[in-house]
Amino acid sequence: MILLVLSYLPSLLCGVHVVRTGREMYWLWLFVIAPMLAPAFYFFAVLVPEMMGGRTARNVGKAARQAIDPERDFRNAMRALEDTPTVGNRMKIAQAAAALGRWSDAEAQWALAAEGHWADDPAVLKGHAEALLELGRYDDALKRLEQLRALGSEGATPQVALLFARAYEGLGRNEEADDAFRFAADRVPGLESGARYVAFMAKTGRREDAEIGFGEIERRYSKISPQLRGEARIWRDLAAKALGR
């Protein structure tokens, strides 16, 4: 009996904090269902950021909250749009849907955002192009990217070059894809651009160049601290898979 009471003690203490601070009531159900695991998540999601403050702590809290409730941002964005139907709130829905990999939903929201006065907004054009690429609609994505490039400097960034490279690759325009990938590979932060370039070179028969590029990815990956390798590993593995490793 004592052990049972002790097992629920962390949930009880965290539950008191939830009620006193007016936080989301779903935490209370989690404490009942998972009396050992839920308090641990609550500790990192809420208590650590509250006690420590700062950007790192907030990031830890955000990651923990997303692990427990990955659709939270999407729901909040939907409610915000219902309350205030602005293009800005629609863009937040599109971004939240993209974060969940719900690219059809993201594309639909970007398409609506691109109507009217926001048709030439760089953020809308870029977001819509990315969603279209994920859906394999390369012609439509390229049209959006060309609109973005016509705006000037907003369409000349390395991040936009990477999107152009993906569109060209999808359309079989390999020379243009190679130029865009090469430009983006050393300029876009993170491992995505390099990994996609390695995969492109492997697919187009440039095995030796792909191996060199993969070596650089491995070198950069090894310098990332283990606790921060989550997203980087996705791109490192994509390049490795393209080389049959």
Side-chain angles (χ1 to χ4, degrees), residues 146-177:
E146 287 171 343
Q147 284 180 263
L148 181 55
R149 182 161 58 186
L151 296 179
S153 60
E154 294 92 342
T157 66
Q159 289 80 4
V160 172
L162 179 59
L163 297 180
F164 266 107
R166 293 175 59 192
Y168 289 140
E169 180 185 8
L171 294 170
R173 295 164 60 171
N174 289 343
E175 288 188 13
E176 292 163 291

Side-chain angles (χ1 to χ4, degrees), residues 91 95 110 113 118 120-130 148 151 154:
M91 290 168 66
Q95 291 162 348
W110 285 122
W118 292 76
D120 291 325
D121 181 80
V124 171
L125 292 172
K126 184 174 180 289
H128 196 194
E130 183 178 10
L148 181 55
L151 296 179
E154 294 92 342

Side-chain angles (χ1 to χ4, degrees), residues 6 46 51 56-58 60 72 100-101 112 118 121-123 131-132 138 147-148 152 161 169 182 187 191 212 245:
L6 289 176
V46 177
M51 290 184 295
T56 300
R58 288 195 298 272
V60 170
R72 179 187 180 192
L100 293 170
L112 289 171
W118 292 76
D121 181 80
L132 290 165
Y138 302 112
Q147 284 180 263
L148 181 55
E169 180 185 8
R182 191 183 309 114
R187 295 174 173 86
L191 300 184
I212 293 172
R245 300 193 177 191

Side-chain angles (χ1 to χ4, degrees), residues 78 81 90-91 93-94 97 104-114:
M78 289 292 290
L81 183 66
R90 190 174 297 284
M91 290 168 66
I93 295 176
S104 293
D105 291 338
E107 190 279 324
Q109 295 297 330
W110 285 122
L112 289 171

Side-chain angles (χ1 to χ4, degrees), residues 69-219:
D69 187 8
E71 296 207 1
R72 179 187 180 192
D73 289 345
F74 182 80
R75 291 197 310 272
N76 288 342
M78 289 292 290
R79 283 195 291 267
L81 183 66
E82 291 172 1
D83 294 339
T84 312
T86 64
V87 172
N89 282 336
R90 190 174 297 284
M91 290 168 66
K92 290 179 181 178
I93 295 176
Q95 291 162 348
L100 293 170
R102 294 165 56 171
W103 292 107
S104 293
D105 291 338
E107 190 279 324
Q109 295 297 330
W110 285 122
L112 289 171
E115 295 177 354
H117 296 298
W118 292 76
D120 291 325
D121 181 80
V124 171
L125 292 172
K126 184 174 180 289
H128 196 194
E130 183 178 10
L132 290 165
L133 287 172
E134 293 292 339
L135 294 172
R137 293 170 55 184
Y138 302 112
D139 272 318
D140 292 333
L142 187 58
K143 289 176 184 176
R144 286 302 194 199
L145 291 171
E146 287 171 343
Q147 284 180 263
L148 181 55
R149 182 161 58 186
L151 296 179
S153 60
E154 294 92 342
T157 66
Q159 289 80 4
V160 172
L162 179 59
L163 297 180
F164 266 107
R166 293 175 59 192
Y168 289 140
E169 180 185 8
L171 294 170
R173 295 164 60 171
N174 289 343
E175 288 188 13
E176 292 163 291
D178 185 75
D179 289 341
F181 272 127
R182 191 183 309 114
F183 177 79
D186 296 327
R187 295 174 173 86
V188 178
L191 300 184
E192 179 184 0
S193 58
R196 287 191 183 278
Y197 194 21
V198 166
F200 170 76
M201 289 188 290
K203 185 176 75 172
T204 53
R206 295 166 54 191
R207 176 83 188 194
E208 185 175 346
D209 291 337
E211 291 283 1
I212 293 172
F214 183 69
E216 175 62 15
I217 288 174
E218 287 278 65
R219 184 190 68 80

